[in-house]
Amino acid sequence: MPPVITGMTEEQAEEARRSDRPLLVYIYPDPASEREDDPRVAIEEDRAFRDEGVVVGARFFDCVRIHKDDARADPALKRYSGTAPCLVLVRPNLAPEKCLRGRFKADRVFAAMHDTLEMDYENCLRQILKEQEEIADALAEVYQRQADLDEIDRKIADDKGTSRRAQLEEKRKALAEDVRTAEEQLKTKENALYELKRKSAS
């Protein structure tokens, strides 16, 4: 039986082991107050976790959120329970690799994700983030072409001449196909970015 990170059922732990993914474990103290400056602020409300790089990095991790008391009872996490709130990055073999404490800064979280992932996978988060931004820009251009389709639709609706209407419809069909093909290619490229690639055993 694989180790169980508290907060996961044995079935979830087994699934995590089979999925061969690292874990991002947030150990939280007592519920945070509503004060903005409370250092115990919940991770979901922390600005660092809305950072684009952190959002991209998190897609490579299975995320678990547990209370410090549960962490104290967990063999892998008990040494971190006394410093909650903290973020523990765990390798696929369920061995903790990095721990960040207190308020989290996006650059530190991203760096910890990058370094943890690099231990077992060929994926490079910094390169992936760059490529993701390029894909997002290309998709924005593709979606902008939707405006051209809308304009053609308006001309077709206003045009009563059958010959010109047929030309417009043919133009729209070709443009719609170009937009669909470009979007599919970019989405396929984007999905490929998030496929974990295990390093070969040395």
Side-chain angles (χ1 to χ4, degrees), residues 87-99:
L87 190 70
V88 183
L89 293 92
V90 183
R91 294 174 63 181
N93 62 0
L94 298 185
E97 177 64 27
K98 298 275 185 180
C99 179

Side-chain angles (χ1 to χ4, degrees), residues 140-153 172 175-176 179 183:
E141 293 179 8
V142 169
Y143 295 144
Q144 182 59 39
R145 297 177 69 186
Q146 182 64 46
D148 297 333
L149 288 173
D150 295 340
E151 179 62 24
I152 292 174
D153 285 338
R172 188 199 187 286
L175 181 58
V179 169
E183 182 179 13

Side-chain angles (χ1 to χ4, degrees), residues 5-6 16 20 25 37 41 56 58 72 117 121 128 134 140 151 153 167 184 202:
I5 294 293
T6 307
D20 199 34
V25 183
D37 60 348
V41 65
V56 167
R72 190 175 295 118
L117 200 65
Y121 305 95
I128 289 167
E134 292 172 352
E151 179 62 24
D153 285 338
Q167 291 175 351
E184 285 183 354
S202 56

Side-chain angles (χ1 to χ4, degrees), residues 97-136:
E97 177 64 27
K98 298 275 185 180
C99 179
L100 303 177
R101 296 175 171 86
R103 293 303 295 267
F104 309 107
K105 293 187 178 297
D107 57 347
R108 291 184 63 226
V109 175
F110 182 80
M113 287 177 167
H114 176 277
D115 293 347
T116 300
L117 200 65
E118 195 175 47
M119 296 294 295
D120 300 285
Y121 305 95
E122 296 178 2
N123 308 75
C124 173
L125 278 188
R126 292 187 177 90
Q127 181 61 31
I128 289 167
L129 180 59
K130 179 181 177 182
E131 292 183 28
Q132 176 64 76
E133 290 171 348
E134 292 172 352
I135 290 173

Side-chain angles (χ1 to χ4, degrees), residues 154-170:
R154 285 193 291 272
K155 289 180 178 179
I156 290 174
D158 293 341
D159 197 296
K160 306 301 181 184
T162 55
S163 61
R164 186 167 183 273
R165 185 185 182 90
Q167 291 175 351
L168 287 170
E169 288 177 344
E170 189 63 29

Side-chain angles (χ1 to χ4, degrees), residues 7 26 52 62 80 110 139 147 153 156 160 163-164 166 174 188 200:
Y26 175 60
E52 181 181 5
D62 287 333
Y80 306 109
F110 182 80
L139 280 170
D153 285 338
I156 290 174
K160 306 301 181 184
S163 61
R164 186 167 183 273
T188 297
S200 301

